[in-house]
Amino acid sequence: MEIKIIGKSLPNIPWQDKPADCIFPVWRYTGNPITEWNNVGKTGRIFNSAVVPKDGKFVGVFRADGHKILPQIHFGTSDDGIHWDINPDYIHWKDENGEEFVSDYGYDPRLVEIEGTYYITWCSDFGGGPTIAVAKTQDFKEFTRLDNAFLVPNRNGVLFPRRINGKFYMLSRPSDYGHTPFGDIYVSESPDMIYWGRHRKVMSNKAPGWWQSTKIGAGPIPIETNIGWLIFYHGVCNTCNGYVYSFGVAILDRDEPWKVLYRGADYALTPEMPYEVSGFVPNVCFPCAALADADTGRIAVYYGAADTYTALAFTTVDEICKFAMENSVLAPKDDETVK
Ligand code: BMA
């Protein structure tokens, strides 16, 4: 069966062909990393960031940990999706009444266009704990922060790129106030981006494979295909030297996205390269965005490396979906509805 992306034609996304000797379904950009230490101003490290196409070019929201080692979200632009011009000042969100929204931190943003509006979700402080903040913009000049989607603590809020049966959907990962030694992916529904409910469990960390045994969390905006929603997600195992973040893939039902159709038992990418195994937090590959070209099936994944760098990797919709389908092992509760 031919697997197709249902989406835009994006002929200019970053791309490199698969090296002949690569045994994985995802291969890295040879120019990695695409951000370095001390990129601009006091940004320190830029990683776990999100991009979308806009007007034939690219725009992004970047997590930057500044000189106080507190993260904020910065806006950036790029002609080619690889070389980025990132604003040294962070985004100053305004609430709907025009007042500046100030938070001690903001991190791990995701970015999506839905019905002509760009939405950003990220992890923000809510009375002393993290939860999923939501903002919208038309022009990337003014950013209107909406109400937080969920109660604390919660991380990894990832919107679907279109309404499903008339409703907005968001994946998230209820967590604790610290480094969370557990975690499963849930999905919630909203009629208006304000009120979120009808929560369903999607995937647990109980799948075979130690790489995802401690916790899992959604990554880029789901990619729609003719066989389901393709999701990249991070999976964590706990070693005697701390957590290791890899990423894998699953395919969710198009109409009922709490149903897992396929889930790859193996990781698709795990920390191996110097910029992944060494940095502020070693052994982290944390995907937050993907660009997908419907015409060729090419996919470019943006991931944070070692909480220090931004890196790029490539795959095709055919290769990555077959990887999930041919290695699929569902965990308990993955294949049933849990309300
Ligand atoms: C998670 C998040 C990510 C980070 C990861 C590894 O809990 O805070 O931002 O990349 O830990 O440190």
Side-chain angles (χ1 to χ4, degrees):
M1 179 190 189
E2 198 187 0
I3 303 172
K4 304 278 287 178
I5 292 168
I6 299 172
K8 288 183 183 163
S9 160
L10 293 177
N12 61 336
I13 65 172
W15 181 254
Q16 283 178 335
D17 287 333
K18 183 172 183 170
D21 60 352
C22 178
I23 61 165
F24 294 100
V26 170
W27 52 98
R28 294 166 177 82
Y29 174 52
T30 54
N32 275 348
I34 62 168
T35 62
E36 285 286 352
W37 285 92
N38 305 315
N39 291 267
V40 61
K42 289 188 169 186
T43 55
R45 294 166 284 111
I46 293 181
F47 56 103
N48 298 6
S49 299
V51 312
V52 290
K54 188 170 188 298
D55 305 330
K57 298 180 180 177
F58 303 94
V59 294
V61 284
F62 291 83
R63 168 188 174 159
D65 286 20
H67 289 192
K68 295 185 177 65
I69 310 198
L70 280 173
Q72 293 288 358
I73 316 280
H74 297 237
F75 174 64
T77 57
S78 173
D79 288 350
D80 61 5
I82 296 173
H83 303 91
W84 287 90
D85 187 4
I86 296 169
N87 196 331
D89 192 14
Y90 59 83
I91 295 173
H92 295 266
W93 317 98
K94 288 202 172 147
D95 288 339
E96 285 175 289
N97 56 13
E99 281 172 31
E100 192 160 342
F101 167 69
V102 180
S103 176
D104 282 349
Y105 57 80
Y107 61 88
D108 298 357
R110 291 5 182 237
L111 173 60
V112 64
E113 182 195 344
I114 308 174
E115 299 166 10
T117 297
Y118 296 90
Y119 292 91
I120 301 152
T121 55
W122 75 101
C123 207
S124 179
D125 177 55
F126 185 16
T131 195
I132 308 304
V134 184
K136 63 181 180 180
T137 182
Q138 303 288 339
D139 53 10
F140 291 95
K141 294 189 174 80
E142 296 194 351
F143 296 84
T144 306
R145 180 212 166 224
L146 309 176
D147 268 68
N148 292 329
F150 306 117
L151 295 172
V152 288
N154 200 322
R155 295 186 172 99
N156 299 301
V158 178
L159 287 163
F160 281 72
R162 67 165 172 84
R163 293 182 202 240
I164 302 170
N165 298 321
K167 301 284 175 23
F168 298 106
Y169 277 84
M170 188 174 353
L171 300 167
S172 74
R173 213 281 305 289
S175 62
D176 70 9
Y177 290 80
H179 296 302
T180 314
F182 62 85
D184 300 332
I185 298 174
Y186 287 71
V187 71
S188 308
E189 179 188 298
S190 174
D192 55 7
M193 277 291 172
I194 303 292
Y195 294 95
W196 293 92
R198 293 187 193 273
H199 314 289
R200 301 280 185 276
K201 188 162 181 171
V202 181
M203 288 177 19
S204 85
N205 62 357
K206 302 291 183 301
W210 193 52
W211 69 272
Q212 52 180 336
S213 60
T214 298
K215 55 181 169 177
I216 56 175
I221 302 304
I223 296 170
E224 189 167 15
T225 77
N226 55 332
I227 61 164
W229 294 103
L230 167 64
I231 64 162
F232 293 84
Y233 66 96
H234 66 258
V236 180
C237 61
N238 192 8
T239 74
C240 54
N241 273 329
Y243 290 158
V244 175
Y245 283 71
S246 310
F247 63 84
V249 286
I251 297 169
L252 310 181
D253 187 272
R254 277 171 81 193
D255 295 318
E256 298 176 310
W258 51 90
K259 291 190 178 161
V260 184
L261 304 180
Y262 305 99
R263 179 170 177 184
D266 297 346
Y267 60 73
L269 190 140
T270 198
E272 292 177 11
M273 298 299 280
Y275 53 87
E276 296 164 346
V277 301
S278 174
F280 187 74
V281 181
N283 299 316
V284 180
C285 293
F286 196 97
C288 286
L291 297 170
D293 176 28
D295 292 345
T296 57
R298 291 174 174 177
I299 297 171
V301 179
Y302 290 78
Y303 64 101
D307 286 10
T308 304
Y309 310 102
T310 309
L312 255 175
F314 306 111
T315 187
T316 66
V317 71
D318 195 60
E319 176 148 8
I320 199 70
C321 288
K322 285 184 179 148
F323 171 79
M325 294 162 87
E326 288 164 11
N327 292 284
S328 184
V329 182
L330 301 188
K333 302 275 185 288
D334 280 1
D335 54 355
E336 58 191 76
T337 300
V338 180
K339 292 185 183 178

